[in-house]
Structures are given as C-alpha cells and as structure tokens.
Amino acid sequence: MRTELTPEQSEQQEAFRAFADEKISPEADQYDRDERIPAETLKRLAEKGYSGATIPKENGGSGMDMITYGLLCEEIGRGSASLLSLITIQTMVSQAILKWGDDSQKAQWLPKMGKGEILCSFALTEPEIGSDAKNVGTSAVLSDGTYLLNGRKKWISGGQIADLFLIIAQCDGAPAAFLVERDTPGFFTEPIGDMMGFRSAMLAEIRMEDCRIPEENLLGRIGFGFSHVAGTSLDFGRYSVAWGCVGLARACLEASLDYTEKRKQFGVYLKEHQLIQGMIADMITNLKAARMLCIHAGHLKDSGDPSVIMETSVAKYFASRIAVKAAMDAVQIHGANGCSSQYPVQRYMRDAKVMEIIEGSNQIQQTLIAKYGYLIKD
Amino acid sequence: MTTNGTKEKIRSFLSKYIKKKDLKEEDELFTSRLVNSMFAMQLVLFIEKEFSFKVENEDLDLKNFNSINAISAFVERKAAP
Ligand SMILES: Cc1cc2nc3c(=O)[nH]c(=O)nc-3n(C[C@H](O)[C@H](O)[C@H](O)COP(=O)(O)OP(=O)(O)OC[C@H]3O[C@@H](n4cnc5c(N)ncnc54)[C@H](O)[C@@H]3O)c2cc1C
C-alpha cells in the first residue's frame, strides 16, 4: 500500500493547511455560535476552487485526484466540521451528476457548481425514514412531461442556502433521483436550529407540495435513484467524512499537545503525567491508522477498484470512532476549560458525535462490514 | 475475449459478493435480493475496470445487470467496436 504523497499533493496539502489556519480555524467557533457560515467564507472557498474540488477541469472544476481531495477534506475538517459538510454535499451532488447525468445536465450544472455559483444539498433522509433509506416516502408522479413531487425531507445539510437539491423519491414504487431548484413553486425549506453538532451546517427541513419539475430533471433512470445515484453520492459522502474525521482528530491532538505544554498541575506540566501521555499516544496512533485507511481508500478510488466501496465504509467507521475518542479525551485533558466556550475542544466533541451518525450510521457500517467479512471468508 | 471468458470473470467477481453456491448464469441478482445496497455500485466499478468502458445513464436498465448472462451480453454489446 502506497502511503507517501506525490510532490504535487504535498504542495497542495501545504496550501490547504495554510488556508485552514488563516481563514477557517480562527473563525470556526464564531460560525458555531452564529449557527451559520458567512457568505464571505464560501466565496473564499469558491475562489480557491475548493467548491468544485472533484469536478474534472473539462467540466469546469478543479479536477483534484482523490488523495488531494482527501487532504482538502482533512484540513477543512480540522478547521470546521460544518464547513466540511458543505464541501461534502457539493461533492456528493456533483459526482452524482457527473456519473449519471446526461450531457445537457452536466453542461447545465457542473460548471456553475465548479465555480461555487451554485451550492447543492443532498436530500435523502425524511422525518420517518433514516437508515432504512431505500424506503423513503417522498413521491414523484409523471404527468404531462413533468414530475410532481410530494413529501418531506429532514436534517438536510446546507438546506438553508442551497440553490439545487438532489431529492430521492419513489416513482411508482421505484426509487428515483431528481434535481430540484430552490425557487420551484411548491418547494419550501425551513431552517433547523440549535443542533448539538454541525451547528453552522445550516440544516433545513424541506416540504414539497405539488412541486412540479421538468421531466429532464430526473437524474439517472427510474429504479436506480437509490442504488446508483444515491449510491454514488453516499460513497463520496463517506469518503469525505472519513477524511474530515482525520482532520477533526488532528485538531483534537494539536489542541491537546498545546494545552498540556502550558498548564501545570502538581508542579509539572500536564504532559509529564503518564495518564495524559496515554491519551496523547492513543490519539497519535489512532490518527495514523485512520489516515492510512483513508489513503488506501483514496488510491482505490483513483483506480476505480470495486473494493473501494467497502474500504471506504471501513475508513468512515474507524475514522469517526477515533474522532469521537480523540474529542472526548481532548475535553478530558482540558478539564473545565475544555467544557467552556473559550476552547474549541467542546465543539470538536459535539461535531465528532455527528460523524458517527451521518452518511450511514456506524451501526449500518458495522452491519455491512461484518456481512462482507463472512462473504470473503471462503 | 470469448463469451465464456467474460462469464468466468463475472462469476469470479460475483463470488466475492454473493454467498450462493452454484450460482447459475440466469439466476437473478437484483430482483431476487441476493445482493445488498452497496452491490450495485460495486458491480458498476467492476464492469468499468475489468472491461474498460464507462457505464452511463443510458445503460441503467436492469436487463444489463440482473444475471451473469445479462451482464455478459451487456459487456459484449458495449465492448463491440
Ligand atoms: C448534522 C446532521 C446532518 C445531516 N445531513 C443530512 C443531509 O445533508 N442529507 C440527508 O439526507 N440526511 C442528513 N442527515 C440525516 C442522517 O443521514 C441520518 O440521521 C442518518 O441516516 C440516521 O438516520 P436517523 O437519524 O433517522 O436514525 P435511525 O435510522 O432512526 O436510527 C436510530 C438508531 O438506530 C440505529 N439503527 C437503525 N437501523 C439499524 C439496524 N438495522 N441495525 C442496527 N442499528 C440500527 C442507528 O444506527 C441509530 O443509532 C443529517 C443528520 C445530522 C445529524
């Protein structure tokens, strides 16, 4: 397994790191308090080409390879998990269009998404349907060359500001995916506030009431909306989140290294206490292991290997678990300071927990990973 | 590649994802629920990598994916010059 970066990837990594250090980390607690990410930040992201990170250059994006994109997710995730989630959904929707869109859909949407002129949301979850996502209740009916959508979606990241939504619905009992523009009559969004984590991810609930969209807005074919269209999105979602968790765990480690060199108890710096060293050592070790799983998945993704789907699931499962552990330990190491809004570790802890729930909860990942284990046994 | 060669490759791939001994060439993969939700994309990636063409929007038809015979016929049609 290759783990070293190419010179170009290392150079990009430096640039991502500097961007996160200068523009994101210093502001992320404020985003969290305000429950929003300023338009200015999103503009900066677009100017850097990060909004269309994985869209090929010929389609108007930055054309990053999967390792480079992973490094971007790591650095953004280190700064703000909420901001990472906006990059994640932009990637999820753009990759679904790239893979399953027809030529006119690609031409219509990808260049604008690449430039960050259009922000996207991915809307699968509903008030009554989460993990059992194949059975969403939103309906789509074809009549007179248009589809009529009815139903509700919940917990949709970026839903407060997105221009374009990828909606998964049922058409005559078969899953189908549709592109819906915000200003479509019958399409309504309501902000969801006061979340525990991802507070600035600008979540929304969506209502579709006789929401009529052109027939051309069907993405892929009827019957393939979950397995193939959402399947493509979710694979990229898990990949982005796995790397984001590596970034989040690194933020925990960096905060802990810094704090334990400054605070003294019993006459010595915290870093001298062996039980503290134990937590630091676990953070470092878990972080390295998670990064290797992510790099492995990245190489498989770049080579289009079918095993990437399971390897990405493994990476997401592991990385989100170690992010939670790192964040819990980081708060522990910071003591009362860690529980206060003066230090970011409490935000890391709240955000890390969300990582275990989104893009297929960890129980769902465990179920799939275990089943795969039995399959490849013989 | 011969049809039998193509089918052998498909069978060998499927054996990693489906726990059914003696899978027949006409056995239905999707409609008989032999596979989980991730299999669809694994199959797409397998076909693209192994047979060097892209599976696209217009190929999304269960008739192309639902059995060893179906996949093999699809691959031969797409790979034909
Ligand atoms: C901050 C945030 C952002 C989100 N953004 C989006 C978004 O942009 N788009 C979108 O579509 N959705 C989004 N979601 C929703 C997210 O995808 C779902 O929360 C997730 O899929 C789990 O669904 P659920 O919350 O309904 O939990 P449920 O499915 O009700 O599950 C509840 C618990 O039961 C467990 N469980 C369920 N089924 C099984 C099983 N078969 N075996 C064992 N355990 C099981 C789950 O793991 C979980 O622990 C977001 C959620 C959050 C919190």
Side-chain angles (χ1 to χ4, degrees), chain B residues 32-81:
Chain B
S32 62
R33 296 182 171 270
L34 275 175
V35 295
N36 69 22
S37 62
M38 285 176 163
F39 176 76
M41 282 310 297
Q42 287 159 335
L43 179 60
V44 166
L45 289 169
F46 160 72
I47 293 172
E48 292 186 339
K49 189 167 190 195
E50 188 65 52
F51 303 106
S52 309
F53 66 85
K54 288 271 166 226
V55 177
E56 291 170 319
N57 181 313
E58 69 215 27
D59 304 318
L60 290 178
D61 187 332
L62 214 50
K63 278 191 241 137
N64 292 333
F65 305 115
N66 205 16
S67 66
I68 294 178
N69 280 341
I71 300 166
S72 164
F74 169 60
V75 164
E76 289 183 356
R77 210 165 51 246
K78 288 288 277 196

Side-chain angles (χ1 to χ4, degrees), chain A residues 85 89 92 121-133 153-159 166 168 195-199 201 203 234 353-367:
Chain A
S85 78
I89 48 180
M92 290 168 76
S121 276
F122 173 80
L124 175 63
T125 311
E126 301 183 346
E128 301 305 327
I129 290 283
S131 303
D132 187 14
K153 297 286 175 186
K154 200 168 181 184
W155 318 116
I156 305 309
S157 299
L166 179 58
I168 310 298
M195 296 293 288
M196 172 189 73
F198 280 46
R199 284 176 73 82
L203 265 60
L234 289 169
K353 187 61 214 171
V354 172
M355 299 291 200
E356 291 197 308
I357 294 170
I358 55 170
E359 311 303 343
S361 74
N362 277 4
Q363 285 68 43
I364 299 299
Q365 308 302 335
Q366 282 178 300
T367 310

Side-chain angles (χ1 to χ4, degrees), chain A residues 115-336:
Chain A
K115 289 200 205 79
E117 289 167 9
I118 284 187
L119 298 179
C120 303
S121 276
F122 173 80
L124 175 63
T125 311
E126 301 183 346
E128 301 305 327
I129 290 283
S131 303
D132 187 14
K134 211 167 31 188
N135 290 316
V136 290
T138 297
S139 67
V141 177
L142 182 62
S143 76
D144 298 332
T146 57
Y147 282 102
L148 207 57
L149 302 185
N150 277 289
R152 282 164 71 197
K153 297 286 175 186
K154 200 168 181 184
W155 318 116
I156 305 309
S157 299
Q160 293 176 28
I161 56 163
D163 307 288
L164 184 70
F165 295 76
L166 179 58
I167 304 275
I168 310 298
Q170 305 281 352
C171 189
D172 275 339
F178 299 93
L179 293 165
V180 182
E181 292 180 79
R182 170 179 289 281
D183 57 9
T184 310
F187 187 85
F188 308 96
T189 62
E190 283 156 25
I192 300 176
D194 217 7
M195 296 293 288
M196 172 189 73
F198 280 46
R199 284 176 73 82
S200 52
M202 296 178 280
L203 265 60
E205 180 161 353
I206 297 171
R207 264 186 307 124
M208 286 156 285
E209 292 171 1
D210 289 340
C211 169
R212 196 178 285 280
I213 55 167
E215 197 176 351
E216 307 84 77
N217 287 22
L218 170 70
L219 184 63
R221 300 272 161 109
I222 303 287
F224 296 85
F226 183 70
S227 56
H228 291 70
V229 182
T232 299
S233 294
L234 289 169
D235 179 45
F236 274 89
R238 285 188 290 269
Y239 184 71
S240 313
V241 162
W243 274 103
C245 289
V246 170
L248 211 165
R250 229 180 83 220
C252 296
L253 173 65
E254 287 170 4
S256 301
L257 291 174
D258 195 49
Y259 190 77
T260 52
E261 282 189 318
K262 293 195 177 119
R263 178 150 177 102
K264 278 185 177 173
Q265 286 299 293
F266 299 95
V268 293
Y269 288 110
L270 287 180
K271 70 173 186 178
E272 305 298 337
H273 296 297
Q274 289 188 342
L275 290 173
I276 298 284
Q277 289 167 7
M279 287 190 266
I280 299 280
D282 284 356
M283 278 188 213
I284 293 171
T285 310
N286 285 336
L287 187 52
K288 282 182 184 291
R291 183 183 282 109
M292 280 198 194
L293 290 175
C294 287
I295 290 180
H296 182 49
H299 285 306
L300 292 172
K301 239 174 161 15
D302 273 331
S303 69
D305 196 282
S307 66
V308 69
I309 309 275
M310 279 318 300
E311 296 303 325
T312 304
S313 169
V314 169
K316 187 269 170 181
Y317 171 55
F318 186 75
S320 60
R321 285 194 63 169
I322 69 109
V324 169
K325 165 107 171 67
M328 297 287 277
D329 285 353
V331 171
Q332 191 69 25
I333 285 172
H334 282 67

